[in-house]
Amino acid sequence: MNSELLNYYEAIEQASADMLSAARTGNWDEVVKLEGACVLLISQLKAAAHQNQLSAGESQLKTRIMQRILLNDAEIRHLAEPWLEDLDHVLKGKSRMVH
């Protein structure tokens, strides 16, 4: 069993769950911080995946983990939409002059 790769997938899943929890409370700074952690984990996963492969059973577990990550991501995006719209309005209201 290739637990190293699965550990990366599980860590990414946990980070996405933590991001969702932060998004639910409106803690967008924490969401951004956790997103950075996800980027690092994904980079490490990619490097490890070049040297290792998952078995068929592990691939099925990976698929279930990825589905949960995608569900978390979809809900985070849904929660972020009003915040992003507000940010867009603020940015559009600002002058584009460069000093």
Side-chain angles (χ1 to χ4, degrees), residues 4-17:
E4 180 186 10
L5 289 180
L6 288 177
N7 286 341
Y8 281 117
Y9 284 106
E10 289 169 346
I12 294 165
E13 178 187 12
Q14 183 59 55
S16 79

Side-chain angles (χ1 to χ4, degrees), residues 63-83:
T63 298
R64 288 192 298 273
I65 292 169
M66 292 298 298
Q67 288 170 339
R68 290 190 298 264
I69 291 169
L70 291 172
L71 287 171
N72 289 345
D73 183 64
E75 188 171 343
I76 291 165
R77 289 176 190 274
H78 176 74
L79 292 167
E81 284 176 8
W83 180 79

Side-chain angles (χ1 to χ4, degrees), residues 1 7 36 40 42 44 76 81 90:
M1 185 158 155
N7 286 341
L40 178 61
I42 291 167
Q44 293 170 340
I76 291 165
E81 284 176 8
V90 168

Side-chain angles (χ1 to χ4, degrees), residues 36-67:
C38 281
V39 168
L40 178 61
L41 287 167
I42 291 167
S43 175
Q44 293 170 340
L45 170 62
K46 286 179 182 179
H50 286 296
Q51 301 169 2
N52 303 294
Q53 290 188 341
L54 296 174
S55 69
E58 292 168 331
S59 290
Q60 289 176 347
L61 177 56
K62 177 193 94 166
T63 298
R64 288 192 298 273
I65 292 169
M66 292 298 298
Q67 288 170 339

Side-chain angles (χ1 to χ4, degrees), residues 15-35:
S16 79
D18 293 344
M19 286 173 63
L20 177 55
S21 180
R24 285 177 175 157
T25 63
N27 187 349
W28 298 107
D29 290 336
E30 184 69 10
V31 172
V32 170
K33 177 182 150 192
L34 290 164
E35 184 179 29

